[in-house]
Amino acid sequence: FEYIRGHTWNSERSSGTMAAVAAQAEEVKMGLQRHINLLRDPNKVKRRRAIQHIANAMEEVVSNISEDQKLWVGVLKDIFYEKLAPSLVAALQDASERPREISVSVLQDILPHLDIQDSKSGLEICNSIVHSIHNQIGIHPIKETSEEVRLLQVGLLKQICEAAPQVIQDCLGDLVDIATVSAGDTFPKVKIEVGSFVDILSKNALSKKHSLPSKNAEKIAERLAKSLIKNLKHQRFRVRLATLNALSSIVTSRGKVEQWLKEALPQIAKLTADRTPSVRIQTSKVIGSWLSTLSPLQTHERVKLLLILLSTIADPDPNCKASGIAELSKLGKKSEDTPQTPVSGLKDSKSEPKPGLAKGELEAKEIPLNIRQWWKSRKIGGQLYPELPGKEERSVALKYCKALCRPLLTQLKAWTDQDRVRGAGSLCGLIILAHEGLVELSCSILSAIECNLEDLEDPATQMLRQAASAIGCLMPVEAWLETVMKALTATGEGGHSSWLIILQNCLTACPPEKLKTFRPKIAQIIRHERLCRSDDRPTRFFTRDAMRGLIESFEGVSGVCEEKGENSCKIPEEVTANLFWGLIQLHYKSPTEIEFQKTEAVITSLALAHLGPPKESKNQVKGDVSTTMQVAMELYDKLFSQTLTRILGPNPQPKKVVWSEESDTSGLLVTLLQRSAPIIHNHLEVVVPFIVEACKTQDNSPTVRIHMLSLLVKLVGSSQTSDWKKYSVTIVEDIILPNMVWRNGSTAQTIRFTALKVLVTILQRTKDCYPVCVPLSKHLETLETCLDDDDNRIRLGMCSVFLSVFECGESKGVTSRPKLLHELQLTKLYPKLVDRLDDSDDEVRCCIGPALASLVCNCFPPKEAFDRSGHAYTYIVKHCLIHLDDKNQHVKRSMLILLKRISHYNTQIFVELVRSARTRHKTPDACDLLLKQVEG
């Protein structure tokens, strides 16, 4: 061998080349013979050294081929065929691992340089190699214990099958055994290598052009496939990818869908949700190739494959999605290039389908540009479907849309979240691709969507809401509106919230021009009391959202009306009135401040859409109110009478209203009045009789009276005072005084306090209080009882009320007005007021001072006519002097002011009492000040 290495062989010396090659080959064989013999030695160390020496020698020979290929290939052939091949084949089954490994490596280095396909000896050697490897890794249990050796052996078989396809025909059984057993190997790299090995076997043995009988080929394909299918669940993505490619090769070679593939399709379908994008991309390509190449495919077989392909177009990864769409586009172009034969025998030319279409099949057309722009601008498809598909992608889905839809609806009921998400994504994609063909199934689709809208955070729910938006945007309004309206008008309770979600998504996604004639009907349905007054909070929430969606659907809302003119965006009167009525009902059932604010925001949007941008008006509400609030109040003012008629009927009569907590009529009326407070002065003629009727009778519900009195405080305080003037006396006589009568219990106390708040508000906001004070002067006993109330707020409020009454005790230039209080009333009243100087609340003690001063100054007749003995005056002054030395400076200051004001009534008695008190006071400064004022 060293002799051969030392000589340079020139290719130009053609004469005698074969003899030289033979001689040199003989020299090499003689040099290797000893090592070849050692391969049979029982000592494994000697065998290992021998095989290593052979490997080194063959490496040198192979490396010299680049210098003179013809010469050294001849040398290699002689060495290999005559001596080396049998020994290497035998070494493949050596008891020691190292000889087995090196023998495979040597064979892998030598075989590419030998024309084994054209040599009988080469084929025989390859067959021997296959049988040897079969004994090692083709039979259970596997003899070969080394993972690396098993990997090399499968690689060697791949190399042999590619170089000599005849070996596949000769040793097909052994090769199939090796592939099926190795597919279950625990070493992942072996599984990957088996995938490409099966690919070679399929292309060279299973196709129709080969001589293998059909039944045998079918059995082999099934055997190979079943051994590979379990690897689709392997944790390594490269294993899954190689297995998928191997299965694709088997199916493509067979050219048809066999039973094993039908059973494997559910497992292949799960690859569309694989965690690795490359596997999902390859899945779409494999399914696309099957749909293109397998022929003939039955309809149900094609539908199953299309279902898997539809899953890929709902993939969140843009590359995976693009791959799925590309495959659909290829299928669409292919179907256009190979049109079907039109149905023959039809006499009516109108009934004949177009070329490429079966009878009753719809033609895929381009989606109009305005719909595409609307879809993109409103982002209806979200991140998954930013743009609508083209004609080619839609044609295949439209052809099989009905057959595709039913299994997808069934898939939405799957137990696992993964299956439901995949089904929801596929359904959404199918609706986008083939919406024209699904119009007849829209009811079933919407019902299936409704059944799965439970958890709003569930990914499947989000996808189904996109599907509902796609229906609203792409299908005719009649296709979805009739189903939704029928469900919302059902008499049974429950289930409305899901349908309202669907309605809201459809309304938001539907182009405005399609909704033009349907808006009144929609508004009439969603304002129904079954939805707006539901005790189910989600129902109310989504009803409000549906109303917002309907308002936003009007062209011109959100700034468009400024471009097209003031009146272009106004919502019709009928729709506005229905929506406003529904929102008032939502207000009535809103228990939380958040719900209340959201409902009020929708009312403001409705007002802006109906009335246009805010503008100055005569009825502009006073105070710091935002411009949008002004528009909302204009809407309240405009629809107040109409809404009141909805609540009370065409001829409302206060006495027929049931004033109880359970009564929706009273609750709705209170809600309307509360929200309309700033503009209620325009409707007092209608409103006041109902307020009076609700409050004047003690038989009415206390809760209703409290709500109505609280409302009255708000109404009087927020609206224009001048409009209340003619109703003030009625309010005092029929509402306030009956509810200020003392009764036991906390509820009665709350009623008294609320009625007192109304009275104080009226007295404070009325310039001339005399008409209001006249009925008060006739019910002093009722007012007196409130001075002894346990609630200090009531006692404090009564101080203000008595001050207003006493201020009206003097006619103040109006001679026609009689005095309010006569002497007997004064005699009974003043001790009650003086008792408040000892009240437990310092604020009450301070506030009673101005009332006592006004009583003496404005209501007491001259001392000669009323208090000749000075008893009443003395009683008041004595108590005031006691509190003039009070620890509380505020009380002390109030008493000083009081005494200064009443000092002139009877100066003699006043001086005597002050001088007497001076000696008892800790600090006589206040008494000195009073004496100085009177005497000086």
Side-chain angles (χ1 to χ4, degrees):
F1 182 69
E2 295 295 333
Y3 172 80
I4 295 175
R5 292 181 57 193
H7 287 75
T8 303
W9 296 87
N10 192 341
S11 60
E12 295 179 356
R13 295 164 60 188
S14 56
S15 61
T17 299
M18 296 302 297
V21 169
Q24 299 305 322
E26 188 64 28
E27 290 289 336
V28 173
K29 285 185 284 184
M30 291 175 64
L32 292 177
Q33 186 62 48
R34 176 174 176 272
H35 299 289
I36 294 173
N37 295 335
L38 286 174
L39 290 177
R40 294 190 294 272
D41 195 282
N43 190 324
K44 65 178 181 180
V45 176
K46 292 182 179 180
R47 295 199 307 274
R48 191 181 307 156
R49 290 175 180 175
I51 193 68
Q52 185 64 56
H53 184 86
I54 294 172
N56 294 336
M58 290 299 99
E59 184 179 357
E60 293 293 336
V61 173
V62 171
S63 65
N64 288 329
I65 292 178
S66 59
E67 298 178 3
D68 195 330
Q69 181 177 2
K70 186 175 180 180
L71 173 65
W72 289 101
V73 167
V75 173
L76 184 63
K77 286 182 178 180
D78 287 344
I79 295 172
F80 180 75
Y81 286 130
E82 293 185 16
K83 290 288 183 181
L84 190 59
S87 300
L88 290 176
V89 172
L92 291 174
Q93 301 183 63
D94 194 277
S96 181
E97 176 184 338
R98 188 62 178 167
R100 298 197 302 271
E101 181 180 359
I102 296 176
S103 63
V104 174
S105 300
V106 172
L107 287 171
Q108 286 181 329
D109 292 338
I110 294 176
L111 290 179
H113 304 286
L114 306 177
D115 298 328
I116 55 177
Q117 175 69 17
D118 300 329
S119 170
K120 183 178 180 181
S121 300
L123 290 176
E124 291 177 352
I125 293 172
C126 290
N127 292 341
S128 300
I129 293 173
V130 171
H131 293 314
S132 297
I133 295 177
H134 178 266
N135 293 332
Q136 292 296 107
I137 62 174
I139 303 173
H140 280 294
I142 298 176
K143 294 181 180 180
E144 182 57 63
T145 57
S146 172
E147 294 176 343
E148 295 297 335
V149 174
R150 296 200 298 270
L151 179 63
L152 291 172
Q153 287 174 340
V154 176
L156 177 59
L157 291 178
K158 280 176 52 182
Q159 188 175 348
I160 291 173
C161 292
E162 288 178 341
Q166 182 60 37
V167 175
I168 298 176
Q169 305 298 326
D170 297 340
C171 306
L172 183 59
D174 290 346
L175 293 173
V176 171
D177 288 342
I178 294 170
T180 53
V181 173
S182 299
D185 199 290
T186 56
F187 191 34
K189 290 184 179 180
V190 174
K191 292 178 181 288
I192 297 172
E193 197 73 8
V194 167
S196 55
F197 177 48
V198 171
D199 183 24
I200 298 171
L201 290 180
S202 302
K203 292 177 180 178
N204 292 277
L206 300 181
S207 60
K208 294 181 180 178
K209 63 182 180 181
H210 296 89
S211 59
L212 191 67
S214 177
K215 290 185 178 181
N216 293 345
E218 183 177 347
K219 290 180 180 180
I220 292 173
E222 182 178 0
R223 186 180 173 191
L224 290 171
K226 287 186 176 181
S227 66
L228 290 168
I229 289 172
K230 55 188 177 183
N231 289 334
L232 293 175
K233 298 180 181 180
H234 198 272
Q235 60 183 356
R236 295 199 178 185
F237 83 92
R238 288 186 176 86
V239 175
R240 301 194 297 273
L241 197 61
T243 303
L244 180 63
N245 290 331
L247 291 174
S248 174
S249 180
I250 294 174
V251 174
T252 305
S253 299
R254 295 295 299 149
K256 61 180 179 178
V257 176
E258 296 177 333
Q259 183 61 34
W260 66 265
L261 179 58
K262 297 178 182 178
E263 297 172 357
L265 279 180
Q267 189 63 37
I268 297 173
K270 292 182 179 180
L271 295 179
T272 59
D274 194 273
R275 57 184 177 272
T276 306
S278 58
V279 176
R280 303 199 298 270
I281 292 174
Q282 187 62 26
T283 302
S284 65
K285 292 180 179 179
V286 167
I287 298 299
S289 67
W290 288 352
L291 287 167
S292 300
T293 58
L294 299 185
S295 179
L297 276 177
Q298 297 182 8
T299 301
H300 68 277
E301 296 172 344
R302 187 174 293 275
V303 166
K304 288 181 179 180
L305 295 175
L306 283 173
L307 285 172
I308 301 175
L309 191 58
L310 278 177
S311 300
T312 63
I313 69 171
D315 198 291
D317 186 273
N319 296 326
C320 300
K321 179 181 176 61
S323 176
I325 293 177
E327 295 300 326
L328 276 177
S329 180
K330 291 178 184 178
L331 293 173
K333 291 178 180 178
K334 183 178 180 180
S335 63
E336 290 180 358
D337 296 338
T338 56
Q340 299 176 3
T341 305
V343 180
S344 59
L346 297 177
K347 297 180 180 180
D348 188 3
S349 60
K350 294 182 179 180
S351 62
E352 293 182 3
K354 294 183 178 181
L357 298 176
K359 185 178 181 180
E361 185 179 329
L362 295 175
E363 180 186 6
K365 299 179 180 179
E366 289 290 346
I367 299 175
L369 180 61
N370 61 331
I371 301 295
R372 289 180 172 275
Q373 293 175 344
W374 173 262
W375 179 278
K376 188 174 182 179
S377 63
R378 298 302 293 266
K379 298 180 179 179
I380 298 172
Q383 296 181 354
L384 284 180
Y385 305 102
E387 295 184 358
L388 290 172
K391 179 180 177 181
E392 292 81 7
E393 294 93 328
R394 298 177 60 237
S395 60
V396 177
L398 186 61
K399 183 176 182 180
Y400 299 97
C401 58
K402 294 181 180 179
L404 290 168
C405 184
R406 293 183 178 89
L408 288 178
L409 298 183
T410 304
Q411 191 174 354
L412 294 179
K413 303 176 183 178
W415 287 98
T416 62
D417 293 340
Q418 186 181 31
D419 290 339
R420 289 191 294 106
V421 170
R422 194 170 72 247
S426 301
L427 179 63
C428 185
L430 180 62
I431 293 171
I432 295 173
L433 290 168
H435 47 272
E436 306 101 314
L438 297 175
V439 173
E440 297 178 2
L441 299 177
S442 59
C443 181
S444 300
I445 295 173
L446 291 172
S447 298
I449 293 175
E450 185 272 335
C451 292
N452 289 274
L453 293 179
E454 296 178 357
D455 183 5
L456 297 182
E457 300 299 328
D458 184 17
T461 300
Q462 300 299 324
M463 193 68 68
L464 290 174
R465 293 187 70 172
Q466 284 192 358
S469 298
I471 290 175
C473 179
L474 301 173
M475 288 190 184
V477 179
E478 300 91 337
W480 53 266
L481 182 59
E482 182 178 355
T483 302
V484 175
M485 293 299 103
K486 185 177 180 180
L488 291 178
T489 53
T491 55
E493 286 292 334
H496 291 145
S497 58
S498 299
W499 286 107
L500 287 167
I501 293 174
I502 294 173
L503 176 61
Q504 192 269 339
N505 281 275
C506 290
L507 287 176
T508 304
C510 188
E513 59 271 12
K514 296 172 81 173
L515 278 176
K516 188 173 183 181
T517 58
F518 298 96
R519 292 190 183 107
K521 183 178 179 181
I522 297 173
Q524 188 175 5
I525 294 297
I526 58 179
R527 60 85 173 166
H528 198 277
E529 63 182 35
R530 185 183 298 102
L531 305 177
C532 299
R533 300 188 208 172
S534 174
D535 294 328
D536 182 38
R537 186 175 180 180
T539 297
R540 299 195 305 272
F541 178 87
F542 292 114
T543 299
R544 181 170 54 246
D545 275 4
M547 290 182 179
R548 183 188 294 110
L550 183 60
I551 294 170
E552 293 174 354
S553 71
F554 281 87
E555 184 182 6
V557 179
S558 303
V560 182
C561 59
E562 287 83 352
E563 301 176 4
K564 296 188 177 181
E566 183 180 350
N567 297 324
S568 63
C569 66
K570 287 187 176 181
I571 300 179
E573 296 285 346
E574 180 186 359
V575 176
T576 304
N578 281 326
L579 291 178
F580 184 79
W581 169 231
L583 291 166
I584 291 295
Q585 294 180 86
L586 286 174
H587 262 318
Y588 163 57
K589 295 295 290 188
S590 297
T592 62
E593 184 65 22
I594 296 178
E595 267 194 84
F596 177 84
Q597 291 175 357
K598 289 182 177 180
T599 304
E600 194 61 29
V602 179
I603 291 179
T604 303
S605 300
L606 177 63
L608 290 171
H610 179 65
L611 300 175
K615 56 184 178 180
E616 296 183 359
S617 63
K618 296 181 180 179
N619 296 329
Q620 186 171 352
V621 181
K622 293 183 179 180
D624 297 330
V625 184
S626 64
T627 54
T628 54
M629 186 63 182
Q630 294 179 30
V631 179
M633 287 301 104
E634 290 181 16
L635 184 65
Y636 273 105
D637 194 11
K638 181 177 181 179
L639 299 177
F640 183 87
S641 299
Q642 185 176 350
T643 307
L644 191 66
T645 303
R646 290 179 185 267
I647 297 173
L648 302 172
N651 297 312
Q653 296 181 9
K655 293 184 178 180
K656 293 185 177 181
V657 178
V658 178
W659 301 102
S660 65
E661 295 182 55
E662 296 79 14
S663 173
D664 288 337
T665 302
S666 61
L668 287 168
L669 180 59
V670 171
T671 301
L672 178 62
L673 297 179
Q674 284 178 337
R675 300 309 311 143
S676 307
I679 52 89
I680 201 66
H681 53 271
N682 297 329
H683 308 279
L684 292 179
E685 186 177 355
V686 180
V687 171
V688 171
F690 288 95
I691 300 177
V692 171
E693 187 64 31
C695 298
K696 75 176 183 178
T697 306
Q698 299 295 325
D699 296 335
N700 291 338
S701 169
T703 305
V704 172
R705 284 189 284 141
I706 291 173
H707 288 167
M708 196 63 76
L709 289 169
S710 301
L711 171 62
L712 196 54
V713 175
K714 183 177 181 180
L715 297 180
V716 175
S718 59
S719 58
Q720 296 183 9
T721 311
S722 58
D723 295 292
W724 285 95
K725 185 176 180 180
K726 59 182 178 179
Y727 300 102
S728 57
V729 176
T730 303
I731 292 173
V732 171
E733 289 181 343
D734 297 337
I735 298 177
I736 297 174
L737 289 173
N739 288 285
M740 290 185 68
V741 176
W742 190 91
R743 286 177 177 80
N744 189 23
S746 59
T747 302
Q749 189 178 70
T750 304
I751 292 175
R752 289 196 302 275
F753 174 67
T754 313
L756 179 60
K757 284 177 64 177
V758 178
L759 179 58
V760 172
T761 305
I762 291 176
L763 292 174
Q764 289 176 348
R765 294 176 63 88
T766 304
K767 294 181 179 179
D768 184 10
C769 296
Y770 184 85
V772 179
C773 293
V774 170
L776 294 178
S777 64
K778 297 177 182 179
H779 296 81
L780 286 179
E781 295 82 0
T782 301
L783 301 181
E784 289 173 6
T785 58
C786 294
L787 284 172
D788 298 324
D789 202 286
D790 295 335
D791 192 340
N792 64 318
R793 298 175 300 171
I794 295 178
R795 300 195 304 271
L796 186 63
M798 288 310 304
C799 295
S800 176
V801 171
F802 276 114
L803 176 61
S804 298
V805 173
F806 297 154
E807 290 290 340
C808 298
E810 191 177 13
S811 60
K812 296 182 180 180
V814 183
T815 56
S816 60
R817 290 180 175 178
K819 288 189 174 184
L820 294 178
L821 303 175
H822 52 76
E823 294 180 5
L824 182 60
Q825 289 177 313
L826 294 173
T827 303
K828 294 181 179 180
L829 181 59
Y830 78 84
K832 299 284 186 181
L833 296 173
V834 173
D835 289 345
R836 290 305 99 207
L837 293 174
D838 297 318
D839 197 276
S840 60
D841 188 271
D842 288 338
E843 192 174 359
V844 176
R845 296 165 63 201
C846 293
C847 292
I848 199 62
L852 280 170
S854 182
L855 173 68
V856 175
C857 297
N858 297 330
C859 298
F860 272 22
K863 60 183 178 180
E864 297 82 6
F866 171 64
D867 192 20
R868 295 182 183 90
S869 62
H871 180 271
Y873 184 70
T874 301
Y875 185 83
I876 295 173
V877 173
K878 275 185 177 182
H879 283 77
C880 292
L881 287 171
I882 293 172
H883 294 283
L884 185 63
D885 199 30
D886 198 275
K887 294 180 180 180
N888 191 307
Q889 293 299 319
H890 297 288
V891 175
K892 186 175 182 178
R893 189 180 301 109
S894 177
M895 293 302 101
L896 181 61
I897 296 171
L898 165 59
L899 289 169
K900 283 182 179 181
R901 289 187 60 187
I902 67 174
S903 60
H904 68 278
Y905 184 76
N906 194 328
T907 308
Q908 181 181 353
I909 295 176
F910 184 81
V911 172
E912 292 176 358
L913 294 174
V914 172
R915 284 177 178 174
S916 176
R918 184 180 182 278
T919 61
R920 297 189 296 272
H921 284 193
K922 296 177 182 179
T923 54
D925 295 344
C927 294
D928 293 341
L929 185 62
L930 291 172
L931 290 173
K932 183 179 179 180
Q933 176 180 338
V934 175
E935 294 175 350

